[in-house]
Amino acid sequence: MEEGCSCIYSRMASRFSIGLLMILAIVLLMVRVLYVIYRCGKPLPKGVSQSFTTLIVLGSGGHTAEMLSLLSVLRKDRFTPRFYIAAATDNMSLQKARSFEDSVAEKPAVKEASSQFMQIYRSREVGQSYVTSVWTTIVAIVHALWLMIRIRPQVILCNGPGTCIPLCVIAFVFKVLGIRWSSIFYVESVARVKKLSLSGVLLYKLRIADQFFVQWPQLQNKYPRAHYVGCLM
Amino acid sequence: MEDRENAKRVVFVTVGTTSFDALVKAVVSEDVKDELQKRGFTHLLIQMGRGIFFPNKCDGADGSLVVDYFTFSSSIADYIRSASLVISHAGSGSIFETLKLGKPLIVVVNEDLMDNHQCELAEALEERKHLYYTHPHTLHQTLTKMELESLVQYTPGDGTPVARIIDRFLGFPDD
């Protein structure tokens, strides 16, 4: 009889301690997430690094042109090695990025780290049914995870295409788990004057972007944590 | 021969990689062609993209507007350069390419596109008097009322303010 009672008690105790451990883990995770969000907006210490592994997310429409316009005024030695990612169905963007890299390459390549160009599966194509989109989104997230594990960027530059969302969310998770700290810079497209794009809204509201830039003053009024930087084009 | 070349004033119409039959149809309508000729334009060149409406070519032998078209080109910069007026869809790429080359621009918004955030950009630039902004069915009206000399030249922007903030954030010294 006594043995039965102690069995019950020890089972209850172990369930209780498992429960307690889980709650503790969740609380620790939440604290860590809040800490990451708090640290996100803070500049890095001066001189912490001479160069940063950089991920550049390209997109169809005007996105790639705007991104290259920004890259042309960044000091290349500070943002290297550079990884370019475009959606698998976007034919022009990687080509434009390659031309850009060729044009800024220093003669005879003291091949420091050369740039790399990659494609990522899209979560959803324009007009795709939402049912099949569930599967393609899962595939896209797994693919994004694979790319991020390989690249582990310290800086991410993006300006709107939906492809940047899985990548930025994974980067945030890497920050929380201590896998890699990255600084995410989001520049909303020049075509967004009064309303942010969906990517912009997500990265702004969830505080995933470390620094958020808008090109029209109307947007800065609505989103005060954004920097108004005028038109890039 | 030289005189004819000097007198050549081209209107270049571009729809980028989209399909925008409404614009192509509007541009080759009699009203619009008449107005363009009245304004001294001699040639109408249409880049029609993925559209399925093929306009009639015209060699202008009878003194009418010369009309020609093509679907795509790897770069339209040269066409913009040799034009005296550009009529474009509302894509930011075409808009800024034209403004940077300093050409007068009329932007026509495609009402068939869902989520037309493109018109925000055209509206904002029109407010700053860098271009005219219209719809396919009001293109003719815009042409009759426009004063191209009153357009303000667009000064290209650049990413330097962004670069400065990024550099400072990452702990780099100010250059």
Side-chain angles (χ1 to χ4, degrees), chain B residues 72-131:
Chain B
F72 293 102
S73 167
S74 53
S75 162
I76 56 171
D78 287 336
Y79 296 110
I80 296 176
R81 263 185 218 110
S82 26
S84 305
L85 170 66
V86 175
I87 301 178
S88 164
H89 75 130
S92 63
S94 305
I95 291 178
F96 285 109
E97 202 172 353
T98 306
L99 290 179
K100 281 183 179 178
L101 289 170
K103 296 293 177 171
L105 172 60
I106 300 176
V107 171
V108 184
V109 151
N110 189 345
E111 287 150 338
D112 294 331
L113 287 181
M114 290 188 3
D115 174 30
N116 218 340
H117 75 267
Q118 284 185 338
C119 44
E120 281 182 20
L121 177 63
E123 275 173 1
L125 290 171
E126 185 186 52
E127 254 167 69
R128 295 182 176 183
K129 301 205 184 319
H130 293 309
L131 50 83

Side-chain angles (χ1 to χ4, degrees), chain A residues 40-44 46-47 49-50 52 73-75 78-79 185 190 192-195 211 216 229 231-233, chain B residues 92 96 100 117 120-121 123-124 128 154 156-163 165-167 169-173 175:
Chain A
C40 259
K42 303 262 170 298
L44 302 186
K46 284 205 168 45
S49 176
Q50 295 306 310
F52 294 85
V73 295
L74 288 175
R75 277 184 47 173
R78 291 178 174 177
F79 300 90
F185 301 103
V190 70
R192 297 292 180 165
V193 180
K194 298 185 185 152
K195 280 174 23 195
Q211 297 285 281
W216 293 90
V229 289
C231 292
L232 256 61
M233 299 300 285
Chain B
S92 63
F96 285 109
K100 281 183 179 178
H117 75 267
E120 281 182 20
L121 177 63
E123 275 173 1
R128 295 182 176 183
Y154 178 74
D158 80 289
T160 311
V162 184
I165 294 174
I166 290 179
D167 278 341
F169 186 86
L170 294 174
F172 288 116
D175 284 324

Side-chain angles (χ1 to χ4, degrees), chain A residues 29-160:
Chain A
L29 191 64
M30 282 173 53
V31 168
R32 174 69 185 175
V33 168
L34 288 173
Y35 168 71
V36 167
I37 290 179
Y38 158 76
R39 224 183 102 188
C40 259
K42 303 262 170 298
L44 302 186
K46 284 205 168 45
V48 69
S49 176
Q50 295 306 310
S51 70
F52 294 85
T53 305
T54 301
L55 169 60
I56 298 150
V57 184
L58 305 171
S60 52
H63 292 293
T64 293
E66 288 187 54
M67 184 56 79
L68 294 180
S69 165
L70 168 60
L71 284 173
S72 63
V73 295
L74 288 175
R75 277 184 47 173
K76 308 298 172 295
D77 58 313
R78 291 178 174 177
F79 300 90
T80 188
R82 290 182 289 286
F83 294 84
Y84 293 85
I85 289 188
T89 47
D90 176 359
N91 302 314
M92 294 295 306
S93 290
L94 288 180
Q95 221 174 302
K96 290 190 194 155
R98 272 185 224 269
S99 305
F100 172 77
E101 284 291 333
D102 286 340
S103 71
V104 302
E106 320 228 308
K107 295 81 146 195
V110 172
K111 279 291 178 164
E112 17 145 89
S114 49
S115 308
Q116 287 191 52
F117 307 86
M118 302 155 157
Q119 290 189 310
I120 189 173
Y121 294 118
R122 265 196 153 135
S123 323
R124 182 177 167 267
E125 295 293 340
V126 177
Q128 185 182 342
S129 86
Y130 285 102
V131 174
T132 55
S133 296
V134 174
W135 169 247
T136 50
T137 299
I138 292 172
V139 169
I141 291 175
V142 170
H143 192 210
L145 189 58
W146 168 242
L147 290 172
M148 285 295 283
I149 288 172
R150 279 177 57 196
I151 303 174
R152 286 193 308 285
Q154 295 161 309
V155 165
I156 300 181
L157 301 174
C158 50
N159 65 359

